[in-house]
Every structure is written in structure tokens, then in C-alpha cells.
Amino acid sequence: MSSPKIWTHKGTFLLAAVGSAVGLGNLWRFPYLTGENGGGAFILVYALTIALVGIPILIAETLLGRASRKSPIMGMQYLTESHNTSRNWRAIGWMGAFAAFIILSFYSVIAGWAIHYTGLMFSGSLVGADAATIGESFGDLLASPGLLLTYHTLFILASGLIVGMGIHKGIENGLRFMMPALFVILLIVLGYGVVAGDVGAAMSFLFTFNLSDLSLEGWLQAMGQSFFTLSLGMGAIMAYGAYMSSEASLTRTAISIAFVDTAIALLAGIAIFSLVFGSGLEAGQGPGLMFVTLPIAFAELPAGWLIGGVFFILVIGAAITSSISLVEPVAAYLVERFGLSRPIAVTLMITFCWLLGLLTVFSFNYWSEGTITHDWFGRSPFDVLEFITNILMPLGGLLIALFAGWALSREEVLREMSTNDTWFECWQFLVRFVAPTAVAFVFLRTMPQIDGYLIPAVGSVLLIGAFTAGRTFIQRQS
Ligand code: TRP
């Protein structure tokens, strides 16, 4: 066996994890969810969940990766064997890989929209256009399978190329160049938003906390978003953690990732809402916020085409640094398990994702609302894929928290975390009890008719969790 692969620098894990965390979730999803859910109150719940649930699970997932130094599937196999726990925990690895396929398949299609908008902005074709025209141009894009396919192909190829070049030459070098560039672009767009837009309105929208603005649905969405944005529960962080230097502090790194990720979401929110409010537009437009509302604002602002174009480059870049972390866990598994060369493993992974992506591409045209294929329980194939990931991500996070909290020994965790007892106890309490409870709630958001079933459903999820955890615990003692 060759010695395990490690990132070149102590800080590279942080860079890679931030690259994974910061993506469409921060620039596209966070602002529109905040817009739909009344602003500040949503952000408050989101920040609380990041601190109490996100950070502990982030530590747990990194810990599993670094303790096994393998791809998530092989790593979980190793950990269940070395800790003498039920083999069922290996589901963490498999579910993660499955979720990575699905997420990448639609992530790539949506990132492709940003490629289209980069072109629209720089070509100046939207300058001075009115709201109706811009809305139509988004509709035209979605109605064209050819365009969507072209962008989807380009995006997934770019991600595959980076991962195919290996963790040092491809991923590390790519991130070292892209991350600072993305940050600079974000600052430029923010500066422009402050000058050309209405920052005052944006700030008061984002930071006026009025809890009564928030529905139960909004609460659950805030919690779900905190998972999505930290890339938790799917093995991506575990795969990167496997390459993490043993010297880097898990706790400090996890807190930094969560901090930077949240800061970037907020800065993007301030930039976007300054422009949107400055142009007298509405915040609650849903997923179209970035692709319709924002372009309307750019269309009428001075040099809007230029800043708009640069902004969409930021979106593409942030999406690529996330998508490479979706390719890596599966590619690393194929290399480890079947001895494939990295380029071949990556090619296999992205080919399947590309094919699966066709479901999303056709969901917006051939199979869109009103067609027979759409009416699959009233959802398009894209909705179904999103629904599946909304189940898999929290479930993965739940299992990771329970496994790290109950199956790993105190000494082992303390050695990895290298912190004091108090913080360890605190972390353990969070991953054993608080995180699983919170996740159970997020999980339930995906269940239909939530109100009627809320209490019995939460109860049963908790029971199952406690039972499984107890079983692991007892087995380890034997
Ligand atoms: N965190 C990413 C974003 O905010 C999305 C994401 C969710 C992700 N899960 C992931 C990315 C797993 C990479 C790996 O856009």
C-alpha cells in the first residue's frame, strides 16, 4: 500500500471545503429563500442551525474521513469493521455516493443557466430590456433542450477535467486560483451594489429579526438550507477530510468553514438585494430571483451588462468548486475499489451524471407542466430528484452524527479533535442528541401534510435513531 494521499498544505482542506460549501446554495438558493421567507427571521434560524447543528456535523463528517483516510464508501466499511459495529452503517457511504450522483446531475444543469446569462450580459443583448422581455428570455432558455444540454455538457466536462487531473494538480491548483478570484469578484459586485443600489433597504430586509414573519415551513427550510450550504451528509466533506493534514485542528477548521460560508451568503445577499430594491423590484420571486429579477436590475443600471457578466462568472466558478467535490468521492471510490485510473473513474462518474441530467433538462420543456410525463404525482422528474436529495442529505447527516457520536471512542475523537474535555463533551452532546433531533425535523419537511403527522413522525424517527445508536453502542462494548 502506498502512503495515504494528503493535501499539500495544512490549510488546503479549509480551502477545498469552503470551495465545496460556497456554491449555488449561497448565491442562488440562500437569497431567494430569504426573500421568500421574510428576511431577517429566516437568517436568524439559519445561523442558529449552522452553529448548533451544522458545525458539529461538519466536525463529525471530517472526523470520519480523516480517521479512515479512504473514500466514503471504503472508509465506512473500514470504520464499521474496526469499531465492530453493525455493517448497516456502511449505508452512510453508499447513500452519499447516490446523493452525489443526483445532486451533480441537476446542479450542472442549473449552473449551465449561469453560462447562458454570462453570454447574455456580455453581449449586451439585455441592456435596456424591459421586465417582460427578460422574463421571456428565461422562459426561452428553459424551453430549449438543445441549449440546456450544451451548457450542462460544458459544465460537467469542466468539473470532470479538474478532478481527472488529480487532487494536487487538478483540485488544489484549481482552487488556489479560483477561490481568491471569486472573492474579489464578489467584493466588486458588492461595491457596485452599494453604489448603484439601495443598501439601506437590503440591510433592513436582511437584518430585521421578526420571528413572527417565519412560518413553520420557513423554519424547516432554513434548517435544510444550512445543510445544503455546508455540503453536509453526502460524503463530499468526508472525501476531502480523508486528505486533511493530521495537524490541522478539526474544530477551528469547521468553525472557519461555517463562518466563511455564512459570510459569503450574507455578502451575496446584500449585493443582490441592494440591486433588486434599488430598482424597485420584489424580493420574493423564488428561484427566478437570480435569473429574472437580478437581470432586470442589471439591464437598467449603468455598466450593468459588465458587472452582471462578471457576477455570472462568479456563479459559474462557485458552482464548479462545489461540483468537483461531488465528483471526487465517487471517483476516489472507483479508483480504490477497482483500481481504475483516475481519468477513467471520473469519466464513468460524469457520464452517468450527464445521462441522469437529461431528466432535469427535459423537465423544463418536453416534460414540463401540462404534459403527461410531468404528472407523476404532480411533480416533474426534476422535482422528484430534488425531493430525493432533500431526504438523503439530512438522513446522511443524521447517520453521520449518530455514528461519530456513539460508535467512535472518546480517546479516538479526543486525539483527532485535540481539544479540551469541555468542548469535547459539548460536541458529543450536540451530535448525540441535538443534531439528530433537529435533523429529524428537517427530514420531516419533505413529508407531505406535515402538520397532522408532525408529532408521531418526529417521535418515531427519534426512536429509530436512539435504537440504532444504542445497538451500535452495545455492540462496541462486546
Ligand atoms: N454546498 C453547495 C452549495 O451551497 C451545494 C451542495 C450540497 C454540495 N451538497 C453538496 C456541493 C455536496 C458539493 C458536495 O452550492
Side-chain angles (χ1 to χ4, degrees), residues 9-26:
H9 297 283
K10 199 174 143 184
T12 308
F13 171 77
L14 176 61
L15 186 72
V18 168
S20 169
V22 175
L24 297 175
N26 304 59

Side-chain angles (χ1 to χ4, degrees), residues 458-469:
V458 172
S460 44
V461 171
L462 286 183
L463 264 178
I464 296 170
F467 174 76
T468 330

Side-chain angles (χ1 to χ4, degrees), residues 20-21 23-26 107 228-229 231 234 236 322 325-326 393:
S20 169
L24 297 175
N26 304 59
Y107 205 78
F228 187 80
T229 193
S231 303
M234 310 173 14
S322 299
S325 76
L326 288 163
M393 266 191 312

Side-chain angles (χ1 to χ4, degrees), residues 67-86:
S68 67
R69 292 237 174 267
K70 292 182 180 16
S71 70
I73 293 176
M74 301 298 273
M76 284 314 298
Q77 180 173 342
Y78 165 80
L79 290 173
T80 53
E81 280 162 14
S82 59
H83 291 77
N84 200 19
T85 61
S86 158

